[in-house]
Amino acid sequence: MVSVSRSGHPIPSRLTSEQTALSAHCVRLRQQHHSDSAGLTVKMGFGLCILAFVVYSVHAAPDNSSCGTKGDIIFLLDNSGSISQSNFELMLDFVKDVVKKFAVDRNQVQFGLETFETGVRTEFKLNTHSNRQEVLDAVDRVSYVGGGGTNTGDALQHIREKSFSRAFGHRQGVPKLAIVVTDGVSSSKNRTKEQARLAHRAGITLMAVGVGKNTDQQELQDIASDPDSKYLFHIDTFVGLKMIESMLASSTCTQLKGQASDCGKKGAADIVILMDSSGSVGEENFELMKEFTKSIVDEFVIGSNAVQFGVVIFSTPVTGAFKLNQYSKADQLKAAIDEIEFQNGETHTGKALEYLRTKAFTAQEGYRSDPNIPKIAIVITDGHSTHKEKTQEEANKLKEQDVEIYSIGVGDEVDNEELTEMASNKNIFRVDTFTALQHLRPLLLRQVCEACLGKSDVVFLLDSSCSVGEDNFRKLKHFVSDVTYNLYIDKNGVQMGVETYECEVHTNFELLRYHNKVKMQTAINNMEFKPGGTDTGEAIKHMWTRSFSSEYGNRDNVRKIGVVITDGDSKNKASTFYEAHKARENGITMVAIGVGDMNVEELKGIANGTDFLFTTKSYDTLTDLTQTLTNMACQA
């Protein structure tokens, strides 16, 4: 048996080593081009880049992996009449999940929380709580108001004059950062703009998070500190807050530390950057592209056992500037990039992708055939390709060979349809100028450097018996959604199904139902609690006979994982043991999670072994298992 404490330790040693090996491969930030399916837009320069993010390490890591730096952070939450109680609770969950990513104490990061509608309410000051758990408990005590207007201007004045004062706990010389979450237009736009300007002048970094269709983009821009690409977020629903918490926390940590994220300083990958050198780019912009490429290289450990970079230049000729295995040190790579000359000519993107497939990603050029090492292509272009059909054809061939393609369009002349068709899973970025490429760096890195290669079919079997209760069932749903956001949900990645059970088994959704993370999250959030007995055996039978059938979406030669979460003994242990045995016999890796005072012998009868058996004290501490389950699903 392995017990999981509040801090997440210990976990099985075998999984610990796998976590280390997979740390750079277990999270994918997925970009969606249409906001109705993605739920998240982030402003880039003067353009909008539409993104959806899978969260890495959604819940608190041990303190040694938290953002350990100094900073005073205030959350400013809209509590006006347009906010429903359920959405306000989602905001509070968002706050807690961001807090969990920081080392909280008097000498490191302090948190305060203000809510606003017509008036402003101080929920707790920066110096009220001295550790992370106290802050989390305080957030749980925040009350929903749900009335009044949206007086954002007064709220911004309040944080400038009071929240970041010595009386409220602000420490002189420590960075000041406020995170504003709102779903509507403020009562006075001019006042909001003026108070935001005064906050900026007072040295307060403002992050603006707009939710829904009723926000004013210009007003969000007025609130957010520059650049907007770093400090302005927009999501379609409050559920989508889950999709930005990791990125927002990372941006916050980066802001406090005053340095770039090091998310790329780990793992292995073969990355080829395809640089458009056609006439429309021009020599000056080509130099900016080279600088951007060098800044990407700086984020990785370079070497034959780490990350390898190649560069392909395309215009009328297509040229391999250097091979994947040509340089084993970052300074050598950057010197080689400096030597690349602008070519001029037409935009032969299709030929460049063909070159990538037939030459760059071959053993002769240093490509490593290890399936756990991602093959990544980053295409930077400012225009239409000369032969659009060939571009699409070659992109499809690369995808069939498991090459992950990221397309970056610069300027007004790019073809959005072509970028979409070329990119894998809509990994599309748009910026207005080559200068603005640098704004893309942190976003691109978070997609590239932590790609999950795992293909798994995962079915959750959730105990919905009377002993669980509605409140704990809500926490159970929250845990499942956390795991979901840590995975690349796609028909070519991880598929997930969810069943609940008591006396009967209820299929909430099958493996093949959702290949869109936002829709899946919504479905999980909408699951209803249906109390009854604890017929675990019948539920497991349903899992292995139906949930993992081809009719429900199970794929051949893909790892099958069944996760049973329960807090009580089943009514028929013999049936439970037999059905679990049949599930394992049919190639399903059975994971058993017991909550509270569970019968460990029953969990042993379900799980594939002690490495797949976990106990946790309560539904609150389920979150400590998030990364463990993520790693299991990410295994190739």
Side-chain angles (χ1 to χ4, degrees), residues 99-112:
V99 168
K100 289 174 183 177
K101 293 176 169 49
F102 291 84
V104 181
D105 65 40
R106 302 281 191 224
N107 296 315
Q108 296 188 77
V109 177
Q110 296 185 144
F111 283 97

PDB file of all heavy atoms in Angstrom, residues 99-112:
ATOM      1  N   VAL A  99      -2.739  29.955  -6.012  1.00  0.00           N
ATOM      2  CA  VAL A  99      -2.014  30.079  -4.740  1.00  0.00           C
ATOM      3  C   VAL A  99      -1.146  28.851  -4.500  1.00  0.00           C
ATOM      4  O   VAL A  99      -0.015  28.952  -4.008  1.00  0.00           O
ATOM      5  CB  VAL A  99      -3.006  30.276  -3.568  1.00  0.00           C
ATOM      6  CG1 VAL A  99      -2.307  30.109  -2.217  1.00  0.00           C
ATOM      7  CG2 VAL A  99      -3.666  31.651  -3.654  1.00  0.00           C
ATOM      8  N   LYS A 100      -1.654  27.674  -4.859  1.00  0.00           N
ATOM      9  CA  LYS A 100      -0.935  26.427  -4.598  1.00  0.00           C
ATOM     10  C   LYS A 100       0.392  26.333  -5.345  1.00  0.00           C
ATOM     11  O   LYS A 100       1.217  25.476  -5.039  1.00  0.00           O
ATOM     12  CB  LYS A 100      -1.821  25.228  -4.964  1.00  0.00           C
ATOM     13  CG  LYS A 100      -2.976  25.019  -4.010  1.00  0.00           C
ATOM     14  CD  LYS A 100      -3.905  23.917  -4.509  1.00  0.00           C
ATOM     15  CE  LYS A 100      -5.100  23.756  -3.590  1.00  0.00           C
ATOM     16  NZ  LYS A 100      -6.049  22.739  -4.087  1.00  0.00           N
ATOM     17  N   LYS A 101       0.591  27.183  -6.303  1.00  0.00           N
ATOM     18  CA  LYS A 101       1.828  27.135  -7.068  1.00  0.00           C
ATOM     19  C   LYS A 101       2.944  27.993  -6.447  1.00  0.00           C
ATOM     20  O   LYS A 101       4.029  28.081  -7.003  1.00  0.00           O
ATOM     21  CB  LYS A 101       1.561  27.584  -8.501  1.00  0.00           C
ATOM     22  CG  LYS A 101       0.671  26.611  -9.263  1.00  0.00           C
ATOM     23  CD  LYS A 101       0.350  27.154 -10.636  1.00  0.00           C
ATOM     24  CE  LYS A 101      -0.296  26.087 -11.496  1.00  0.00           C
ATOM     25  NZ  LYS A 101      -1.397  25.360 -10.910  1.00  0.00           N
ATOM     26  N   PHE A 102       2.667  28.602  -5.293  1.00  0.00           N
ATOM     27  CA  PHE A 102       3.641  29.510  -4.697  1.00  0.00           C
ATOM     28  C   PHE A 102       4.019  29.067  -3.280  1.00  0.00           C
ATOM     29  O   PHE A 102       3.236  28.448  -2.567  1.00  0.00           O
ATOM     30  CB  PHE A 102       3.077  30.932  -4.649  1.00  0.00           C
ATOM     31  CG  PHE A 102       2.942  31.561  -6.007  1.00  0.00           C
ATOM     32  CD1 PHE A 102       1.829  31.324  -6.793  1.00  0.00           C
ATOM     33  CD2 PHE A 102       3.950  32.366  -6.514  1.00  0.00           C
ATOM     34  CE1 PHE A 102       1.708  31.879  -8.056  1.00  0.00           C
ATOM     35  CE2 PHE A 102       3.844  32.924  -7.776  1.00  0.00           C
ATOM     36  CZ  PHE A 102       2.722  32.678  -8.541  1.00  0.00           C
ATOM     37  N   ALA A 103       5.249  29.415  -2.916  1.00  0.00           N
ATOM     38  CA  ALA A 103       5.704  29.221  -1.535  1.00  0.00           C
ATOM     39  C   ALA A 103       5.231  30.431  -0.743  1.00  0.00           C
ATOM     40  O   ALA A 103       5.712  31.544  -0.941  1.00  0.00           O
ATOM     41  CB  ALA A 103       7.220  29.102  -1.494  1.00  0.00           C
ATOM     42  N   VAL A 104       4.274  30.214   0.145  1.00  0.00           N
ATOM     43  CA  VAL A 104       3.611  31.318   0.846  1.00  0.00           C
ATOM     44  C   VAL A 104       4.158  31.434   2.264  1.00  0.00           C
ATOM     45  O   VAL A 104       4.044  30.501   3.063  1.00  0.00           O
ATOM     46  CB  VAL A 104       2.085  31.096   0.899  1.00  0.00           C
ATOM     47  CG1 VAL A 104       1.407  32.256   1.616  1.00  0.00           C
ATOM     48  CG2 VAL A 104       1.524  30.929  -0.511  1.00  0.00           C
ATOM     49  N   ASP A 105       4.758  32.548   2.589  1.00  0.00           N
ATOM     50  CA  ASP A 105       5.094  32.913   3.970  1.00  0.00           C
ATOM     51  C   ASP A 105       5.532  34.369   4.005  1.00  0.00           C
ATOM     52  O   ASP A 105       5.603  35.036   2.976  1.00  0.00           O
ATOM     53  CB  ASP A 105       6.134  31.976   4.595  1.00  0.00           C
ATOM     54  CG  ASP A 105       7.506  32.044   3.926  1.00  0.00           C
ATOM     55  OD1 ASP A 105       7.944  33.153   3.565  1.00  0.00           O
ATOM     56  OD2 ASP A 105       8.143  30.993   3.782  1.00  0.00           O
ATOM     57  N   ARG A 106       5.835  34.849   5.175  1.00  0.00           N
ATOM     58  CA  ARG A 106       6.144  36.272   5.353  1.00  0.00           C
ATOM     59  C   ARG A 106       7.381  36.711   4.567  1.00  0.00           C
ATOM     60  O   ARG A 106       7.531  37.887   4.237  1.00  0.00           O
ATOM     61  CB  ARG A 106       6.384  36.569   6.835  1.00  0.00           C
ATOM     62  CG  ARG A 106       5.213  36.220   7.737  1.00  0.00           C
ATOM     63  CD  ARG A 106       4.135  37.269   7.688  1.00  0.00           C
ATOM     64  NE  ARG A 106       3.151  37.048   8.745  1.00  0.00           N
ATOM     65  CZ  ARG A 106       1.852  37.126   8.565  1.00  0.00           C
ATOM     66  NH1 ARG A 106       1.365  37.403   7.370  1.00  0.00           N
ATOM     67  NH2 ARG A 106       1.015  36.945   9.561  1.00  0.00           N
ATOM     68  N   ASN A 107       8.290  35.771   4.297  1.00  0.00           N
ATOM     69  CA  ASN A 107       9.529  36.118   3.616  1.00  0.00           C
ATOM     70  C   ASN A 107       9.500  35.802   2.122  1.00  0.00           C
ATOM     71  O   ASN A 107      10.488  36.025   1.436  1.00  0.00           O
ATOM     72  CB  ASN A 107      10.705  35.384   4.271  1.00  0.00           C
ATOM     73  CG  ASN A 107      10.912  35.813   5.707  1.00  0.00           C
ATOM     74  OD1 ASN A 107      10.888  37.001   5.999  1.00  0.00           O
ATOM     75  ND2 ASN A 107      11.086  34.845   6.600  1.00  0.00           N
ATOM     76  N   GLN A 108       8.392  35.242   1.642  1.00  0.00           N
ATOM     77  CA  GLN A 108       8.325  34.911   0.219  1.00  0.00           C
ATOM     78  C   GLN A 108       7.092  35.563  -0.406  1.00  0.00           C
ATOM     79  O   GLN A 108       7.070  36.781  -0.552  1.00  0.00           O
ATOM     80  CB  GLN A 108       8.361  33.393   0.035  1.00  0.00           C
ATOM     81  CG  GLN A 108       9.686  32.791   0.507  1.00  0.00           C
ATOM     82  CD  GLN A 108       9.823  31.325   0.171  1.00  0.00           C
ATOM     83  OE1 GLN A 108      10.091  30.954  -0.960  1.00  0.00           O
ATOM     84  NE2 GLN A 108       9.655  30.477   1.176  1.00  0.00           N
ATOM     85  N   VAL A 109       6.082  34.800  -0.745  1.00  0.00           N
ATOM     86  CA  VAL A 109       4.908  35.375  -1.415  1.00  0.00           C
ATOM     87  C   VAL A 109       3.768  35.539  -0.414  1.00  0.00           C
ATOM     88  O   VAL A 109       3.461  34.623   0.359  1.00  0.00           O
ATOM     89  CB  VAL A 109       4.454  34.497  -2.595  1.00  0.00           C
ATOM     90  CG1 VAL A 109       3.186  35.078  -3.232  1.00  0.00           C
ATOM     91  CG2 VAL A 109       5.560  34.406  -3.639  1.00  0.00           C
ATOM     92  N   GLN A 110       3.144  36.707  -0.416  1.00  0.00           N
ATOM     93  CA  GLN A 110       1.952  36.982   0.381  1.00  0.00           C
ATOM     94  C   GLN A 110       0.763  37.189  -0.553  1.00  0.00           C
ATOM     95  O   GLN A 110       0.921  37.746  -1.650  1.00  0.00           O
ATOM     96  CB  GLN A 110       2.145  38.231   1.244  1.00  0.00           C
ATOM     97  CG  GLN A 110       3.231  38.126   2.293  1.00  0.00           C
ATOM     98  CD  GLN A 110       3.278  39.357   3.196  1.00  0.00           C
ATOM     99  OE1 GLN A 110       3.547  39.257   4.378  1.00  0.00           O
ATOM    100  NE2 GLN A 110       3.030  40.537   2.629  1.00  0.00           N
ATOM    101  N   PHE A 111      -0.409  36.770  -0.090  1.00  0.00           N
ATOM    102  CA  PHE A 111      -1.621  36.937  -0.888  1.00  0.00           C
ATOM    103  C   PHE A 111      -2.670  37.728  -0.101  1.00  0.00           C
ATOM    104  O   PHE A 111      -2.842  37.534   1.110  1.00  0.00           O
ATOM    105  CB  PHE A 111      -2.226  35.581  -1.266  1.00  0.00           C
ATOM    106  CG  PHE A 111      -1.513  34.885  -2.383  1.00  0.00           C
ATOM    107  CD1 PHE A 111      -0.562  33.919  -2.116  1.00  0.00           C
ATOM    108  CD2 PHE A 111      -1.806  35.187  -3.705  1.00  0.00           C
ATOM    109  CE1 PHE A 111       0.101  33.276  -3.142  1.00  0.00           C
ATOM    110  CE2 PHE A 111      -1.142  34.551  -4.739  1.00  0.00           C
ATOM    111  CZ  PHE A 111      -0.187  33.590  -4.467  1.00  0.00           C
ATOM    112  N   GLY A 112      -3.377  38.584  -0.820  1.00  0.00           N
ATOM    113  CA  GLY A 112      -4.555  39.255  -0.286  1.00  0.00           C
ATOM    114  C   GLY A 112      -5.707  39.057  -1.254  1.00  0.00           C
ATOM    115  O   GLY A 112      -5.488  38.727  -2.430  1.00  0.00           O
TER     116      GLY A 112
END
